[in-house]
PDB file of all heavy atoms in Angstrom:
ATOM      1  N   GLY A 153      90.100 148.316  32.984  1.00  0.00           N
ATOM      2  CA  GLY A 153      90.406 149.138  34.150  1.00  0.00           C
ATOM      3  C   GLY A 153      91.013 148.421  35.345  1.00  0.00           C
ATOM      4  O   GLY A 153      91.812 148.998  36.068  1.00  0.00           O
ATOM      5  N   ILE A 154      90.620 147.187  35.563  1.00  0.00           N
ATOM      6  CA  ILE A 154      91.201 146.368  36.642  1.00  0.00           C
ATOM      7  C   ILE A 154      91.511 145.000  36.084  1.00  0.00           C
ATOM      8  O   ILE A 154      90.902 144.530  35.113  1.00  0.00           O
ATOM      9  CB  ILE A 154      90.286 146.279  37.906  1.00  0.00           C
ATOM     10  CG1 ILE A 154      88.913 145.664  37.573  1.00  0.00           C
ATOM     11  CG2 ILE A 154      90.130 147.652  38.562  1.00  0.00           C
ATOM     12  CD1 ILE A 154      88.012 145.471  38.787  1.00  0.00           C
ATOM     13  N   ASP A 155      92.465 144.306  36.724  1.00  0.00           N
ATOM     14  CA  ASP A 155      92.801 142.996  36.269  1.00  0.00           C
ATOM     15  C   ASP A 155      91.918 141.914  36.871  1.00  0.00           C
ATOM     16  O   ASP A 155      91.100 142.195  37.771  1.00  0.00           O
ATOM     17  CB  ASP A 155      94.281 142.684  36.528  1.00  0.00           C
ATOM     18  CG  ASP A 155      94.689 142.623  37.997  1.00  0.00           C
ATOM     19  OD1 ASP A 155      93.813 142.476  38.852  1.00  0.00           O
ATOM     20  OD2 ASP A 155      95.873 142.749  38.253  1.00  0.00           O
ATOM     21  N   ASP A 156      92.028 140.714  36.387  1.00  0.00           N
ATOM     22  CA  ASP A 156      91.164 139.610  36.814  1.00  0.00           C
ATOM     23  C   ASP A 156      91.358 139.255  38.275  1.00  0.00           C
ATOM     24  O   ASP A 156      90.431 138.824  38.949  1.00  0.00           O
ATOM     25  CB  ASP A 156      91.364 138.404  35.926  1.00  0.00           C
ATOM     26  CG  ASP A 156      90.751 138.592  34.554  1.00  0.00           C
ATOM     27  OD1 ASP A 156      90.023 139.558  34.318  1.00  0.00           O
ATOM     28  OD2 ASP A 156      91.035 137.752  33.669  1.00  0.00           O
ATOM     29  N   LYS A 157      92.594 139.411  38.791  1.00  0.00           N
ATOM     30  CA  LYS A 157      92.814 139.177  40.202  1.00  0.00           C
ATOM     31  C   LYS A 157      91.918 140.117  41.065  1.00  0.00           C
ATOM     32  O   LYS A 157      91.270 139.674  42.002  1.00  0.00           O
ATOM     33  CB  LYS A 157      94.293 139.363  40.598  1.00  0.00           C
ATOM     34  CG  LYS A 157      95.220 138.337  40.039  1.00  0.00           C
ATOM     35  CD  LYS A 157      96.637 138.638  40.463  1.00  0.00           C
ATOM     36  CE  LYS A 157      97.604 137.755  39.769  1.00  0.00           C
ATOM     37  NZ  LYS A 157      98.981 138.065  40.179  1.00  0.00           N
ATOM     38  N   GLN A 158      91.928 141.390  40.680  1.00  0.00           N
ATOM     39  CA  GLN A 158      91.129 142.347  41.447  1.00  0.00           C
ATOM     40  C   GLN A 158      89.649 142.079  41.292  1.00  0.00           C
ATOM     41  O   GLN A 158      88.889 142.169  42.253  1.00  0.00           O
ATOM     42  CB  GLN A 158      91.438 143.784  40.995  1.00  0.00           C
ATOM     43  CG  GLN A 158      90.763 144.811  41.871  1.00  0.00           C
ATOM     44  CD  GLN A 158      91.195 144.728  43.337  1.00  0.00           C
ATOM     45  OE1 GLN A 158      92.355 144.788  43.623  1.00  0.00           O
ATOM     46  NE2 GLN A 158      90.225 144.601  44.234  1.00  0.00           N
ATOM     47  N   ARG A 159      89.237 141.704  40.067  1.00  0.00           N
ATOM     48  CA  ARG A 159      87.822 141.339  39.884  1.00  0.00           C
ATOM     49  C   ARG A 159      87.429 140.182  40.793  1.00  0.00           C
ATOM     50  O   ARG A 159      86.342 140.172  41.381  1.00  0.00           O
ATOM     51  CB  ARG A 159      87.562 140.980  38.423  1.00  0.00           C
ATOM     52  CG  ARG A 159      87.437 142.153  37.502  1.00  0.00           C
ATOM     53  CD  ARG A 159      87.053 141.690  36.098  1.00  0.00           C
ATOM     54  NE  ARG A 159      87.682 142.530  35.127  1.00  0.00           N
ATOM     55  CZ  ARG A 159      87.365 143.807  34.915  1.00  0.00           C
ATOM     56  NH1 ARG A 159      86.429 144.386  35.594  1.00  0.00           N
ATOM     57  NH2 ARG A 159      88.010 144.507  34.002  1.00  0.00           N
ATOM     58  N   SER A 160      88.305 139.171  40.866  1.00  0.00           N
ATOM     59  CA  SER A 160      88.035 138.025  41.722  1.00  0.00           C
ATOM     60  C   SER A 160      87.901 138.444  43.184  1.00  0.00           C
ATOM     61  O   SER A 160      86.960 137.994  43.881  1.00  0.00           O
ATOM     62  CB  SER A 160      89.145 136.991  41.581  1.00  0.00           C
ATOM     63  OG  SER A 160      89.010 136.298  40.354  1.00  0.00           O
ATOM     64  N   LEU A 161      88.795 139.287  43.658  1.00  0.00           N
ATOM     65  CA  LEU A 161      88.738 139.721  45.068  1.00  0.00           C
ATOM     66  C   LEU A 161      87.476 140.553  45.292  1.00  0.00           C
ATOM     67  O   LEU A 161      86.815 140.397  46.341  1.00  0.00           O
ATOM     68  CB  LEU A 161      90.007 140.510  45.438  1.00  0.00           C
ATOM     69  CG  LEU A 161      91.318 139.682  45.344  1.00  0.00           C
ATOM     70  CD1 LEU A 161      92.528 140.589  45.616  1.00  0.00           C
ATOM     71  CD2 LEU A 161      91.293 138.490  46.248  1.00  0.00           C
ATOM     72  N   ASN A 162      87.123 141.406  44.333  1.00  0.00           N
ATOM     73  CA  ASN A 162      85.857 142.154  44.459  1.00  0.00           C
ATOM     74  C   ASN A 162      84.669 141.201  44.577  1.00  0.00           C
ATOM     75  O   ASN A 162      83.758 141.420  45.417  1.00  0.00           O
ATOM     76  CB  ASN A 162      85.651 143.050  43.235  1.00  0.00           C
ATOM     77  CG  ASN A 162      86.631 144.198  43.164  1.00  0.00           C
ATOM     78  OD1 ASN A 162      87.410 144.465  44.082  1.00  0.00           O
ATOM     79  ND2 ASN A 162      86.574 144.917  42.052  1.00  0.00           N
ATOM     80  N   ASN A 163      84.670 140.177  43.728  1.00  0.00           N
ATOM     81  CA  ASN A 163      83.562 139.256  43.756  1.00  0.00           C
ATOM     82  C   ASN A 163      83.461 138.505  45.083  1.00  0.00           C
ATOM     83  O   ASN A 163      82.349 138.168  45.566  1.00  0.00           O
ATOM     84  CB  ASN A 163      83.607 138.239  42.613  1.00  0.00           C
ATOM     85  CG  ASN A 163      83.132 138.853  41.315  1.00  0.00           C
ATOM     86  OD1 ASN A 163      82.683 140.002  41.278  1.00  0.00           O
ATOM     87  ND2 ASN A 163      83.251 138.137  40.249  1.00  0.00           N
ATOM     88  N   LEU A 164      84.608 138.189  45.676  1.00  0.00           N
ATOM     89  CA  LEU A 164      84.580 137.534  46.971  1.00  0.00           C
ATOM     90  C   LEU A 164      83.902 138.431  48.021  1.00  0.00           C
ATOM     91  O   LEU A 164      83.085 137.948  48.799  1.00  0.00           O
ATOM     92  CB  LEU A 164      85.989 137.140  47.445  1.00  0.00           C
ATOM     93  CG  LEU A 164      86.705 136.074  46.598  1.00  0.00           C
ATOM     94  CD1 LEU A 164      88.117 135.843  47.121  1.00  0.00           C
ATOM     95  CD2 LEU A 164      85.880 134.770  46.583  1.00  0.00           C
ATOM     96  N   CYS A 165      84.263 139.678  47.995  1.00  0.00           N
ATOM     97  CA  CYS A 165      83.659 140.639  48.945  1.00  0.00           C
ATOM     98  C   CYS A 165      82.136 140.725  48.753  1.00  0.00           C
ATOM     99  O   CYS A 165      81.358 140.697  49.682  1.00  0.00           O
ATOM    100  CB  CYS A 165      84.282 142.014  48.847  1.00  0.00           C
ATOM    101  SG  CYS A 165      86.014 142.038  49.369  1.00  0.00           S
ATOM    102  N   MET A 166      81.744 140.858  47.492  1.00  0.00           N
ATOM    103  CA  MET A 166      80.310 141.033  47.196  1.00  0.00           C
ATOM    104  C   MET A 166      79.517 139.780  47.512  1.00  0.00           C
ATOM    105  O   MET A 166      78.415 139.847  48.122  1.00  0.00           O
ATOM    106  CB  MET A 166      80.119 141.477  45.746  1.00  0.00           C
ATOM    107  CG  MET A 166      80.651 142.896  45.489  1.00  0.00           C
ATOM    108  SD  MET A 166      80.406 143.438  43.794  1.00  0.00           S
ATOM    109  CE  MET A 166      81.691 142.548  42.926  1.00  0.00           C
ATOM    110  N   THR A 167      79.999 138.615  47.136  1.00  0.00           N
ATOM    111  CA  THR A 167      79.242 137.397  47.365  1.00  0.00           C
ATOM    112  C   THR A 167      79.186 137.093  48.863  1.00  0.00           C
ATOM    113  O   THR A 167      78.183 136.576  49.356  1.00  0.00           O
ATOM    114  CB  THR A 167      79.787 136.206  46.565  1.00  0.00           C
ATOM    115  OG1 THR A 167      81.152 135.997  46.837  1.00  0.00           O
ATOM    116  CG2 THR A 167      79.575 136.393  45.102  1.00  0.00           C
ATOM    117  N   ALA A 168      80.281 137.392  49.611  1.00  0.00           N
ATOM    118  CA  ALA A 168      80.253 137.202  51.049  1.00  0.00           C
ATOM    119  C   ALA A 168      79.231 138.139  51.682  1.00  0.00           C
ATOM    120  O   ALA A 168      78.460 137.741  52.559  1.00  0.00           O
ATOM    121  CB  ALA A 168      81.631 137.427  51.643  1.00  0.00           C
ATOM    122  N   ALA A 169      79.236 139.399  51.257  1.00  0.00           N
ATOM    123  CA  ALA A 169      78.308 140.407  51.826  1.00  0.00           C
ATOM    124  C   ALA A 169      76.847 139.995  51.584  1.00  0.00           C
ATOM    125  O   ALA A 169      75.975 140.223  52.412  1.00  0.00           O
ATOM    126  CB  ALA A 169      78.564 141.780  51.230  1.00  0.00           C
ATOM    127  N   LEU A 170      76.616 139.386  50.454  1.00  0.00           N
ATOM    128  CA  LEU A 170      75.239 138.968  50.104  1.00  0.00           C
ATOM    129  C   LEU A 170      74.865 137.589  50.643  1.00  0.00           C
ATOM    130  O   LEU A 170      73.728 137.164  50.505  1.00  0.00           O
ATOM    131  CB  LEU A 170      75.093 138.931  48.562  1.00  0.00           C
ATOM    132  CG  LEU A 170      75.175 140.320  47.906  1.00  0.00           C
ATOM    133  CD1 LEU A 170      75.265 140.153  46.386  1.00  0.00           C
ATOM    134  CD2 LEU A 170      73.951 141.173  48.300  1.00  0.00           C
ATOM    135  N   GLY A 171      75.851 136.909  51.277  1.00  0.00           N
ATOM    136  CA  GLY A 171      75.568 135.592  51.831  1.00  0.00           C
ATOM    137  C   GLY A 171      75.373 134.537  50.754  1.00  0.00           C
ATOM    138  O   GLY A 171      74.630 133.582  50.978  1.00  0.00           O
ATOM    139  N   ARG A 172      76.008 134.671  49.635  1.00  0.00           N
ATOM    140  CA  ARG A 172      75.881 133.737  48.536  1.00  0.00           C
ATOM    141  C   ARG A 172      77.040 132.735  48.535  1.00  0.00           C
ATOM    142  O   ARG A 172      77.982 132.830  47.779  1.00  0.00           O
ATOM    143  CB  ARG A 172      75.813 134.480  47.190  1.00  0.00           C
ATOM    144  CG  ARG A 172      74.719 135.511  47.078  1.00  0.00           C
ATOM    145  CD  ARG A 172      73.357 134.851  47.132  1.00  0.00           C
ATOM    146  NE  ARG A 172      72.293 135.776  46.766  1.00  0.00           N
ATOM    147  CZ  ARG A 172      71.450 136.308  47.615  1.00  0.00           C
ATOM    148  NH1 ARG A 172      71.562 136.038  48.921  1.00  0.00           N
ATOM    149  NH2 ARG A 172      70.510 137.132  47.200  1.00  0.00           N
ATOM    150  N   SER A 173      76.959 131.781  49.441  1.00  0.00           N
ATOM    151  CA  SER A 173      78.053 130.819  49.657  1.00  0.00           C
ATOM    152  C   SER A 173      78.426 130.019  48.439  1.00  0.00           C
ATOM    153  O   SER A 173      79.597 129.776  48.204  1.00  0.00           O
ATOM    154  CB  SER A 173      77.705 129.868  50.788  1.00  0.00           C
ATOM    155  OG  SER A 173      77.559 130.592  51.996  1.00  0.00           O
ATOM    156  N   HIS A 174      77.452 129.584  47.656  1.00  0.00           N
ATOM    157  CA  HIS A 174      77.759 128.822  46.452  1.00  0.00           C
ATOM    158  C   HIS A 174      78.563 129.625  45.472  1.00  0.00           C
ATOM    159  O   HIS A 174      79.602 129.165  44.955  1.00  0.00           O
ATOM    160  CB  HIS A 174      76.465 128.302  45.807  1.00  0.00           C
ATOM    161  CG  HIS A 174      76.702 127.520  44.551  1.00  0.00           C
ATOM    162  ND1 HIS A 174      77.175 126.236  44.551  1.00  0.00           N
ATOM    163  CD2 HIS A 174      76.551 127.876  43.232  1.00  0.00           C
ATOM    164  CE1 HIS A 174      77.312 125.799  43.293  1.00  0.00           C
ATOM    165  NE2 HIS A 174      76.920 126.779  42.476  1.00  0.00           N
ATOM    166  N   GLU A 175      78.146 130.884  45.225  1.00  0.00           N
ATOM    167  CA  GLU A 175      78.886 131.772  44.325  1.00  0.00           C
ATOM    168  C   GLU A 175      80.221 132.133  44.913  1.00  0.00           C
ATOM    169  O   GLU A 175      81.207 132.238  44.178  1.00  0.00           O
ATOM    170  CB  GLU A 175      78.057 133.020  44.035  1.00  0.00           C
ATOM    171  CG  GLU A 175      76.783 132.779  43.250  1.00  0.00           C
ATOM    172  CD  GLU A 175      77.066 132.248  41.818  1.00  0.00           C
ATOM    173  OE1 GLU A 175      77.986 132.795  41.162  1.00  0.00           O
ATOM    174  OE2 GLU A 175      76.384 131.313  41.412  1.00  0.00           O
ATOM    175  N   PHE A 176      80.290 132.297  46.238  1.00  0.00           N
ATOM    176  CA  PHE A 176      81.578 132.588  46.897  1.00  0.00           C
ATOM    177  C   PHE A 176      82.572 131.492  46.606  1.00  0.00           C
ATOM    178  O   PHE A 176      83.712 131.735  46.223  1.00  0.00           O
ATOM    179  CB  PHE A 176      81.394 132.813  48.403  1.00  0.00           C
ATOM    180  CG  PHE A 176      82.676 133.153  49.115  1.00  0.00           C
ATOM    181  CD1 PHE A 176      83.061 134.451  49.291  1.00  0.00           C
ATOM    182  CD2 PHE A 176      83.518 132.134  49.567  1.00  0.00           C
ATOM    183  CE1 PHE A 176      84.237 134.769  49.950  1.00  0.00           C
ATOM    184  CE2 PHE A 176      84.725 132.425  50.203  1.00  0.00           C
ATOM    185  CZ  PHE A 176      85.104 133.768  50.381  1.00  0.00           C
ATOM    186  N   GLU A 177      82.122 130.234  46.764  1.00  0.00           N
ATOM    187  CA  GLU A 177      83.029 129.107  46.529  1.00  0.00           C
ATOM    188  C   GLU A 177      83.522 129.075  45.085  1.00  0.00           C
ATOM    189  O   GLU A 177      84.684 128.846  44.831  1.00  0.00           O
ATOM    190  CB  GLU A 177      82.298 127.813  46.859  1.00  0.00           C
ATOM    191  CG  GLU A 177      83.186 126.584  46.758  1.00  0.00           C
ATOM    192  CD  GLU A 177      82.536 125.289  47.231  1.00  0.00           C
ATOM    193  OE1 GLU A 177      81.604 125.348  48.061  1.00  0.00           O
ATOM    194  OE2 GLU A 177      82.976 124.239  46.782  1.00  0.00           O
ATOM    195  N   LEU A 178      82.629 129.279  44.120  1.00  0.00           N
ATOM    196  CA  LEU A 178      83.007 129.321  42.708  1.00  0.00           C
ATOM    197  C   LEU A 178      84.049 130.381  42.481  1.00  0.00           C
ATOM    198  O   LEU A 178      85.050 130.183  41.804  1.00  0.00           O
ATOM    199  CB  LEU A 178      81.798 129.598  41.819  1.00  0.00           C
ATOM    200  CG  LEU A 178      80.778 128.479  41.661  1.00  0.00           C
ATOM    201  CD1 LEU A 178      79.575 129.009  40.874  1.00  0.00           C
ATOM    202  CD2 LEU A 178      81.417 127.316  40.931  1.00  0.00           C
ATOM    203  N   HIS A 179      83.813 131.573  43.031  1.00  0.00           N
ATOM    204  CA  HIS A 179      84.730 132.714  42.815  1.00  0.00           C
ATOM    205  C   HIS A 179      86.011 132.570  43.637  1.00  0.00           C
ATOM    206  O   HIS A 179      87.049 133.127  43.248  1.00  0.00           O
ATOM    207  CB  HIS A 179      84.016 134.042  43.048  1.00  0.00           C
ATOM    208  CG  HIS A 179      83.131 134.385  41.902  1.00  0.00           C
ATOM    209  ND1 HIS A 179      83.668 134.865  40.703  1.00  0.00           N
ATOM    210  CD2 HIS A 179      81.793 134.288  41.698  1.00  0.00           C
ATOM    211  CE1 HIS A 179      82.684 135.069  39.826  1.00  0.00           C
ATOM    212  NE2 HIS A 179      81.540 134.738  40.446  1.00  0.00           N
ATOM    213  N   PHE A 180      85.992 131.857  44.748  1.00  0.00           N
ATOM    214  CA  PHE A 180      87.220 131.577  45.464  1.00  0.00           C
ATOM    215  C   PHE A 180      88.116 130.692  44.625  1.00  0.00           C
ATOM    216  O   PHE A 180      89.329 130.972  44.505  1.00  0.00           O
ATOM    217  CB  PHE A 180      86.932 130.929  46.847  1.00  0.00           C
ATOM    218  CG  PHE A 180      88.095 130.975  47.776  1.00  0.00           C
ATOM    219  CD1 PHE A 180      88.347 132.079  48.544  1.00  0.00           C
ATOM    220  CD2 PHE A 180      88.956 129.858  47.854  1.00  0.00           C
ATOM    221  CE1 PHE A 180      89.448 132.111  49.383  1.00  0.00           C
ATOM    222  CE2 PHE A 180      90.050 129.911  48.692  1.00  0.00           C
ATOM    223  CZ  PHE A 180      90.293 131.030  49.480  1.00  0.00           C
ATOM    224  N   LYS A 181      87.555 129.665  44.021  1.00  0.00           N
ATOM    225  CA  LYS A 181      88.338 128.824  43.113  1.00  0.00           C
ATOM    226  C   LYS A 181      88.820 129.648  41.919  1.00  0.00           C
ATOM    227  O   LYS A 181      89.964 129.495  41.496  1.00  0.00           O
ATOM    228  CB  LYS A 181      87.476 127.663  42.625  1.00  0.00           C
ATOM    229  CG  LYS A 181      87.177 126.609  43.666  1.00  0.00           C
ATOM    230  CD  LYS A 181      86.234 125.578  43.182  1.00  0.00           C
ATOM    231  CE  LYS A 181      85.909 124.577  44.278  1.00  0.00           C
ATOM    232  NZ  LYS A 181      84.881 123.577  43.848  1.00  0.00           N
ATOM    233  N   GLY A 182      87.961 130.542  41.407  1.00  0.00           N
ATOM    234  CA  GLY A 182      88.365 131.407  40.317  1.00  0.00           C
ATOM    235  C   GLY A 182      89.482 132.345  40.687  1.00  0.00           C
ATOM    236  O   GLY A 182      90.369 132.642  39.902  1.00  0.00           O
ATOM    237  N   ALA A 183      89.461 132.847  41.958  1.00  0.00           N
ATOM    238  CA  ALA A 183      90.531 133.744  42.384  1.00  0.00           C
ATOM    239  C   ALA A 183      91.857 132.994  42.398  1.00  0.00           C
ATOM    240  O   ALA A 183      92.906 133.568  42.034  1.00  0.00           O
ATOM    241  CB  ALA A 183      90.203 134.276  43.802  1.00  0.00           C
ATOM    242  N   ILE A 184      91.834 131.754  42.811  1.00  0.00           N
ATOM    243  CA  ILE A 184      93.052 130.947  42.778  1.00  0.00           C
ATOM    244  C   ILE A 184      93.498 130.754  41.332  1.00  0.00           C
ATOM    245  O   ILE A 184      94.690 130.909  40.980  1.00  0.00           O
ATOM    246  CB  ILE A 184      92.850 129.600  43.486  1.00  0.00           C
ATOM    247  CG1 ILE A 184      92.638 129.838  45.014  1.00  0.00           C
ATOM    248  CG2 ILE A 184      94.028 128.635  43.239  1.00  0.00           C
ATOM    249  CD1 ILE A 184      92.178 128.631  45.775  1.00  0.00           C
ATOM    250  N   ALA A 185      92.567 130.416  40.446  1.00  0.00           N
ATOM    251  CA  ALA A 185      92.866 130.228  39.020  1.00  0.00           C
ATOM    252  C   ALA A 185      93.415 131.534  38.410  1.00  0.00           C
ATOM    253  O   ALA A 185      94.275 131.495  37.496  1.00  0.00           O
ATOM    254  CB  ALA A 185      91.640 129.765  38.244  1.00  0.00           C
ATOM    255  N   ASN A 186      92.962 132.663  38.904  1.00  0.00           N
ATOM    256  CA  ASN A 186      93.424 133.980  38.399  1.00  0.00           C
ATOM    257  C   ASN A 186      94.782 134.408  39.026  1.00  0.00           C
ATOM    258  O   ASN A 186      95.270 135.465  38.705  1.00  0.00           O
ATOM    259  CB  ASN A 186      92.387 135.051  38.647  1.00  0.00           C
ATOM    260  CG  ASN A 186      91.282 135.014  37.622  1.00  0.00           C
ATOM    261  OD1 ASN A 186      91.468 134.545  36.510  1.00  0.00           O
ATOM    262  ND2 ASN A 186      90.120 135.516  37.977  1.00  0.00           N
ATOM    263  N   GLY A 187      95.357 133.593  39.876  1.00  0.00           N
ATOM    264  CA  GLY A 187      96.660 133.889  40.412  1.00  0.00           C
ATOM    265  C   GLY A 187      96.694 134.694  41.689  1.00  0.00           C
ATOM    266  O   GLY A 187      97.743 135.217  42.081  1.00  0.00           O
TER     267      GLY A 187
END
């Protein structure tokens, strides 16, 4: 239903909202890897 770029951006929003900095950093790198 959605591509990996959108999943990455969704995860950034969710991890930021939850204050999960370690996960945010992993998914920020993942967002770059996903283009």
Side-chain angles (χ1 to χ4, degrees):
I154 59 176
D155 64 19
D156 288 349
K157 289 179 190 180
Q158 186 60 55
R159 283 186 213 291
S160 285
L161 298 175
N162 291 352
N163 281 357
L164 293 178
C165 293
M166 291 181 284
T167 55
L170 294 169
R172 302 295 191 254
S173 296
H174 178 75
E175 293 295 317
F176 181 92
E177 184 174 337
L178 288 172
H179 283 284
F180 195 85
K181 290 174 183 175
I184 293 169
N186 279 335

